[in-house]
């Protein structure tokens, strides 16, 4: 929907967290029948991070990202008035990971909830935050995208285990300080895509049993070729729609911030937008597909290069199928204001 009501929301800070353990392609080639050449050529991924440690779930990474965000933006936990966590790998079915993260970082008595839209989750959650700021009811919202994909990846399935990694990225969303911010968002879905990308067991349709565990049904099931085709079509569709709706030419755009699933999907999206790759954020080589964390991790990685007024389009695609996008102008610079 076009955001032309009331108060413009803006991202006013970003922070990320990546676990220390680096799982590179060479190590994966010792686990499954694959090679650095195959993974690099087909996906662009060289390495990804894995969260190790007894009892550590998605909340651990999300809380680290949120703590860093609070420190960098000099925001007190008492001043945050909503926290939304986008994740497909919550610590528990319930309570929500958002609830747990609030407790871990000392944020009390506010609304918090998870958003489940697979790899589009961060843009979905950002869209929700934009509405809460727009109506004037909330002034400091944290949106965190976090996933511990290693918890649901089958490390005997070479077609999926090479793709994913663990990580978290958080942004602060506030009323715009200068007119820059989120101008337009799109969220879409098609549940007919379920068979091609889902986790078969563990939910209410097929609760966990010894048999479901034995049959390895608690892992990501993906039909890669179908997902690839739909991902290219939908990511490009949402990005091109946002350009048309907001009268943006390729020349007037500064950055594409794409979900990082596969370098070839990103390149195809940029090509359909007529955007050169120098203006496309890319971190997939270092982190793989971190699901809801890819877009905030891109922003975190490229933050030093972003200038006030830069025009960005975010585009994401994920299980569901879901796809989503946002058009925003960047509202702050690392070297000025409270970031000096
Ligand atoms: C998974 C993906 C990289 C596979 O690439 P692809 O070029 O489509 O490869 P295919 O699935 O056609 O498989 C080609 C061959 O490589 C093999 N292969 C699959 N994974 C492999 C691996 N890690 N190492 C070596 N060979 C592998 C397949 O078994 C197949 O062999 P075969 O021809 O003997 O049957 C690609 O389909 C993809 O990226 N899909 C989208 C995934 C995605 O984005 N998911 C998240 C959405 S948010």
């Amino acid at each position: 929907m076009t955001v032309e009501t009331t108060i413009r929301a803006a991202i006013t800070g970003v922070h990320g967290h990546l676990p220390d353990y680096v799982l590179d392609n060479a190590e994966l080639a010792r686990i499954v029948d694959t090679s650095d050449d195959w993974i690099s050529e087909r996906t662009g991924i060289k390495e990804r991070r894995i969260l190790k440690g007894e009892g550590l779930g998605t909340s651990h990474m999300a809380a680290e990202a949120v703590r860093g965000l609070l420190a960098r933006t000099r925001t007190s936990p008492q001043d945050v008035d909503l926290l939304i966590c986008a994740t497909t790998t919550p610590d528990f079915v319930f309570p929500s990971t958002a609830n747990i993260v609030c407790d871990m970082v000392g944020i009390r008595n506010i609304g918090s909830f998870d958003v489940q839209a697979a790899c589009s989750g961060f843009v979905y959650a950002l869209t929700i935050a934009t509405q809460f700021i727009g109506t004037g009811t909330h002034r400091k919202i944290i949106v965190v995208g976090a996933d511990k994909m290693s918890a649901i990846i089958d490390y005997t399935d070479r077609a999926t285990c090479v793709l994913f990694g663990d990580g978290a990225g958080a942004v602060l969303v506030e009323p715009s300080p200068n007119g820059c911010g989120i101008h337009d968002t799109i969220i879409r879905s098609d549940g007919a895509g379920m068979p091609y990308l889902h986790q078969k067991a563990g939910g209410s349709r097929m609760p966990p049993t010894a048999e479901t565990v034995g049959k390895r049904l608690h892992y990501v099931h993906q039909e890669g070729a179908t997902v690839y085709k739909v991902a290219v079509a939908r990511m490009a569709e949402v990005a091109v729609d946002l350009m048309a709706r907001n009268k943006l030419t390729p020349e007037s755009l500064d950055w594409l911030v794409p979900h990082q699933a596969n370098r070839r999907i990103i390149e195809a999206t940029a090509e359909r937008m007529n955007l050169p790759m120098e203006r496309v954020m890319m971190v997939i080589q270092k982190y793989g597909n971190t699901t809801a964390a890819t877009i905030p991790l891109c922003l975190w990685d490229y933050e030093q290069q972003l200038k006030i007024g830069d025009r960005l389009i975010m585009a994401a695609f994920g299980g569901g199928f879901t796809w989503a996008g946002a058009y925003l102008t960047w509202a702050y610079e690392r070297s000025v204001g409270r970031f000096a």
Side-chain angles (χ1 to χ4, degrees):
M1 61 159 298
T2 309
V3 185
E4 49 187 47
T5 48
T6 59
I7 303 160
R8 171 157 298 143
I11 293 175
T12 56
V14 58
H15 197 75
H17 176 78
L18 291 151
D20 292 335
Y21 191 87
V22 177
L23 174 60
D24 64 14
N25 291 349
E27 186 178 350
L28 272 175
R30 293 193 290 275
I31 302 171
V32 287
D33 182 14
T34 189
S35 65
D36 176 41
D37 281 353
W38 193 97
I39 303 169
S40 303
E41 191 195 312
R42 302 288 182 111
T43 73
I45 302 166
K46 299 300 275 182
E47 57 189 43
R48 68 290 290 143
R49 302 299 182 93
I50 302 294
L51 180 62
K52 304 255 181 184
E54 193 73 25
L56 297 182
T58 294
S59 65
H60 170 78
M61 297 181 291
E64 287 292 317
V66 171
R67 276 190 204 102
L69 180 71
L70 292 172
R72 287 186 62 196
T73 58
R74 296 177 196 160
T75 302
S76 159
Q78 294 93 283
D79 292 337
V80 175
D81 48 20
L82 183 67
L83 185 142
I84 312 173
C85 179
T87 186
T88 301
T89 51
D91 285 26
F92 305 103
V93 173
F94 72 93
S96 75
T97 302
N99 294 171
I100 297 165
V101 170
C102 284
D103 183 54
M104 289 168 85
V105 304
I107 296 175
R108 315 254 171 241
N109 296 323
I110 61 157
S112 68
F113 56 89
D114 287 358
V115 166
Q116 213 297 59
C119 295
S120 311
F122 178 79
V123 182
Y124 266 65
L126 186 66
T127 301
I128 296 167
T130 301
Q131 309 306 312
F132 276 93
I133 296 289
T135 57
T137 56
H138 292 66
R139 296 191 62 80
K140 284 187 192 291
I141 303 179
I142 289 178
V143 175
V144 54
D147 271 297
K148 184 186 170 187
M149 293 305 290
S150 62
I152 58 166
I153 291 299
D154 183 350
Y155 286 93
T156 66
D157 174 9
R158 67 179 182 172
T160 54
C161 74
V162 301
L163 301 174
F164 294 95
D166 302 338
V171 297
L172 183 63
V173 184
E174 296 181 275
S176 171
N178 51 15
C180 293
I182 297 158
H183 298 265
D184 195 6
T185 60
I186 293 175
I187 54 171
R188 292 183 182 146
S189 69
D190 180 0
M194 183 276 284
Y196 308 104
L197 184 51
H198 67 294
Q199 181 180 322
K200 291 187 183 301
S204 58
R205 200 185 280 199
M206 201 190 292
T209 61
E211 194 188 352
T212 62
V213 172
K215 288 182 170 169
R216 309 183 79 76
L217 300 180
H218 295 268
Y219 296 118
V220 171
H221 168 86
Q222 175 170 266
E223 295 177 27
T226 304
V227 174
Y228 185 93
K229 274 186 232 136
V230 186
V232 169
R234 296 311 198 186
M235 286 215 353
E237 172 198 297
V238 88
V240 169
D241 277 5
L242 282 166
M243 288 173 74
R245 275 158 55 145
N246 295 283
K247 300 185 176 46
L248 298 163
T249 59
E251 296 71 36
S252 67
L253 260 186
D254 294 289
W255 294 102
L256 170 65
V257 196
H259 170 54
Q260 312 274 304
N262 181 317
R263 191 189 59 214
R264 291 184 299 151
I265 295 174
I266 296 170
E267 286 168 352
T269 305
E271 197 178 308
R272 290 182 191 196
M273 297 168 72
N274 283 318
L275 202 67
M277 286 306 289
E278 306 88 76
R279 283 189 263 143
V280 178
M281 294 190 187
M282 189 82 84
V283 297
I284 191 168
Q285 66 283 4
K286 300 190 282 189
Y287 311 141
N289 183 349
T290 53
T291 302
T294 60
I295 287 181
L297 283 176
C298 277
L299 296 176
W300 189 44
D301 234 71
Y302 282 79
E303 190 190 20
Q304 303 269 17
Q305 296 180 52
L306 290 170
K307 296 181 199 65
I308 291 173
D310 276 0
R311 295 188 175 94
L312 282 66
I313 281 189
M314 297 174 176
F317 175 84
F321 294 130
T322 55
W323 58 106
Y327 163 52
L328 57 150
T329 45
W330 197 247
Y332 70 93
E333 268 164 47
R334 260 297 262 142
S335 55
V336 286
R338 59 185 171 178
F339 294 98

